[in-house]
Amino acid sequence: HMPIALGLSLLGLLTNTRYVFHRDELALLDDARRLAWGYVAYPPLTPSLARISLELFGDSLTGFRLFAALAQSLGVVLAAMIARERGGRRTAQIVAALVAALMPFSMIAGGVMQYVSIDYLWWVLLAWLLLRLVNSGDARWWLAIGAAIGVGMLTKYTMVFCVAGIVVGTVATPLRAHLTSRWLWAGVAVSLLLFLPNAWWQWQHEFVSLDFFEANHARDMRIGRTDDFLLGQLYANAGPLALPIWLLGLGWLMFSGAARRYRVLAWMYAVPLLLFAVAQARAYYMAPAYPMLVAAGCVASERWLRARQPLGKGVRRLGGGALATWIALMAVSTGVLGLQLAPVNSTGWRISRAAHDNFAEQIGWQELTAEVARIYRSLPAEERTHTAIFANNYGEAGAINLYGPQYGLPTAISPINSYWYRGYGSTPPQIVIVLGDTREGIADTPGECVPVGRVSNRFGVLNEETRDHPEIFICRNLRVRWADVWPQMRSFG
């Protein structure tokens, strides 16, 4: 399984530079340059890893995505190790690794540096650690479990849903005997100690991330992103071709007497699924739970085949051919969806675009910055010294801050997420170049605002920038006191 994991990493790193930085990565770059114990949109671990990438590789796209690729590759190794802990032989381990590597979510997440890419690893690691605890009976594994939970909470707050599954699974299975173990409670202490710095940051910032989650959840519900949570589990995370194997794994964990001792993993899936469904979450939140089910399905299949009478060579060859065909189909379909191989606007691009918008969000940021630079340079020198670039979303702000220095642009200001805390600069701007707004939206600005340019890209790709708010405005004669209005401008996205 190690060659499979290494192959996945190399494949992602060698193919993930056809487009440029994703909108989320642009914001992450800015946060990585300003390390803190917390941010509005996420805990501090992913920006810290991004900072290491910046120190090692500069703003190299491949270097920046290294940790995302490694996280998915380690998930592949852990899927094979989970199969081995359940008694799976070499074939079950290899198939589990291959299916985990070819999950659409894993393929996409390995090519973009986001906190969901890193969060994926901790869920899979926790499944393996729980199996080690069950198989060894050594309560000291709770220390490692607590550490993984603490690091997971420093990555993405949805770790609490995974923890809920572990808690229910512990109480509902023979693991409840550990409730009196000092090692379990020591593990709880480890997780809390690791999370404490971020909890303190949240306290100091009035738990602003709760406001962020509320605003974004309302947006997701409004535009229909939460409508297909349960249906999405059948096709969006592990992929439709993997559906039979993970359903078999879930059924084996839940109902087979041979898997009774491992039933904690069934709870680790079922409880978060129920909680996310009630909370009307997005389908991909459950993606990290599927490698353990895939591994279980591989082991169950292997045991079923071993229990049958010896098969003839012809039947074995037929089965091997069917397995190879299944894996090949999975590789082709997932490669089209998840790898950045297809030229923009090609057939492969259109297929992937129908499934997700990750690639479209990696198009046009240099052109946007160049157009802003053209507008900025057209201003008289005395005006430029009092001009700010105001971005209404974090992708625009991140693009200006990444590509703008080569044009001599000032640092962008923005009211969104953690950018709001950074303020509007040392002196209040008198003129602003505004990105991410519309004529209707900017009409109530107390000043004189006129369109002066448009956002476009050389491929003609429609995305949020070119479709929803393509015009760039300049506002003069602003009748505002920035110190008064800035506190009211905070927004989330």
Side-chain angles (χ1 to χ4, degrees), residues 78 80-88 93 126-142 145 173-175 178 252-253 258-265 299 303:
L78 286 166
M81 293 170 66
I82 289 170
R84 184 172 64 189
E85 287 295 325
R86 290 169 176 166
Q93 295 175 37
L126 278 166
W128 178 75
L129 290 173
L130 282 166
L131 287 178
R132 290 297 301 134
L133 172 67
V134 170
N135 284 338
S136 68
D138 188 344
R140 287 175 295 183
W141 281 103
W142 284 112
I145 292 169
T173 68
L175 279 177
H178 289 256
W252 183 57
L253 288 170
R260 184 181 296 112
R261 62 191 308 216
Y262 304 130
R263 199 148 293 160
V264 62
L265 297 191
V299 175
R303 290 189 176 188

Side-chain angles (χ1 to χ4, degrees), residues 72-134:
Q72 306 314 301
S73 295
L74 288 172
V76 166
V77 174
L78 286 166
M81 293 170 66
I82 289 170
R84 184 172 64 189
E85 287 295 325
R86 290 169 176 166
R89 296 183 180 180
R90 184 172 181 80
T91 299
Q93 295 175 37
I94 291 174
V95 175
L98 283 169
V99 177
L102 296 174
M103 286 174 51
F105 177 89
S106 178
M107 192 73 75
I108 294 170
V112 182
M113 180 58 173
Q114 299 170 310
Y115 61 98
V116 296
S117 306
I118 311 302
D119 170 67
Y120 174 90
L121 174 60
W122 309 132
W123 283 59
V124 186
L125 175 61
L126 278 166
W128 178 75
L129 290 173
L130 282 166
L131 287 178
R132 290 297 301 134
L133 172 67
V134 170

Side-chain angles (χ1 to χ4, degrees), residues 235-247:
Y235 65 85
N237 294 319
L241 289 173
L243 177 64
I245 198 71
W246 72 256
L247 278 178

Side-chain angles (χ1 to χ4, degrees), residues 127-175:
W128 178 75
L129 290 173
L130 282 166
L131 287 178
R132 290 297 301 134
L133 172 67
V134 170
N135 284 338
S136 68
D138 188 344
R140 287 175 295 183
W141 281 103
W142 284 112
L143 293 175
I145 292 169
I149 290 171
V151 174
M153 285 296 295
L154 291 177
T155 305
K156 193 170 186 282
Y157 296 122
T158 50
M159 175 55 65
V160 298
F161 291 83
C162 179
V163 172
I166 294 173
V167 170
V168 173
T170 300
V171 174
T173 68
L175 279 177

Side-chain angles (χ1 to χ4, degrees), residues 255-320:
F255 304 115
S256 172
R260 184 181 296 112
R261 62 191 308 216
Y262 304 130
R263 199 148 293 160
V264 62
L265 297 191
W267 289 109
M268 189 176 163
Y269 176 82
V271 172
L273 181 72
L274 175 62
L275 293 176
F276 279 135
V278 171
Q280 296 181 281
R282 298 180 66 176
Y284 74 84
Y285 287 11
M286 280 297 297
Y290 287 95
M292 66 182 184
L293 301 185
V294 164
C298 290
V299 175
S301 300
E302 185 182 61
R303 290 189 176 188
W304 184 86
L305 290 172
R306 286 209 312 265
R308 308 281 78 77
Q309 292 182 353
L311 302 174
K313 289 184 178 179
V315 177
R316 288 198 296 270
R317 288 197 190 99
L318 182 62

Side-chain angles (χ1 to χ4, degrees), residues 191-224:
S191 66
L192 293 175
L193 284 173
L194 285 170
F195 180 59
L196 184 60
N198 180 244
W200 177 247
W201 184 93
Q202 290 288 351
W203 174 273
Q204 290 180 312
H205 293 79
E206 300 177 319
F207 297 96
V208 64
S209 292
L210 294 178
D211 297 326
F212 168 84
F213 299 143
E214 182 180 0
N216 279 273
H217 183 59
R219 176 208 61 193
D220 289 343
M221 293 183 64
R222 184 175 65 252
I223 63 179

Side-chain angles (χ1 to χ4, degrees), residues 436-455:
D437 212 333
T438 63
R439 297 194 183 206
E440 294 77 13
I442 208 167
D444 61 355
T445 301
E448 299 171 5
C449 300
V450 294
V452 290
R454 292 185 69 86
V455 178

Side-chain angles (χ1 to χ4, degrees), residues 401-448:
N401 293 343
L402 176 63
Y403 301 114
Q406 63 183 302
Y407 299 105
L409 295 180
T411 300
I413 64 173
S414 177
I416 196 164
N417 298 350
S418 293
Y419 286 100
W420 179 80
Y421 286 107
R422 296 162 196 161
Y424 50 81
S426 56
T427 57
Q430 299 174 14
I431 300 171
V432 290
I433 298 171
V434 181
L435 295 165
D437 212 333
T438 63
R439 297 194 183 206
E440 294 77 13
I442 208 167
D444 61 355
T445 301
E448 299 171 5

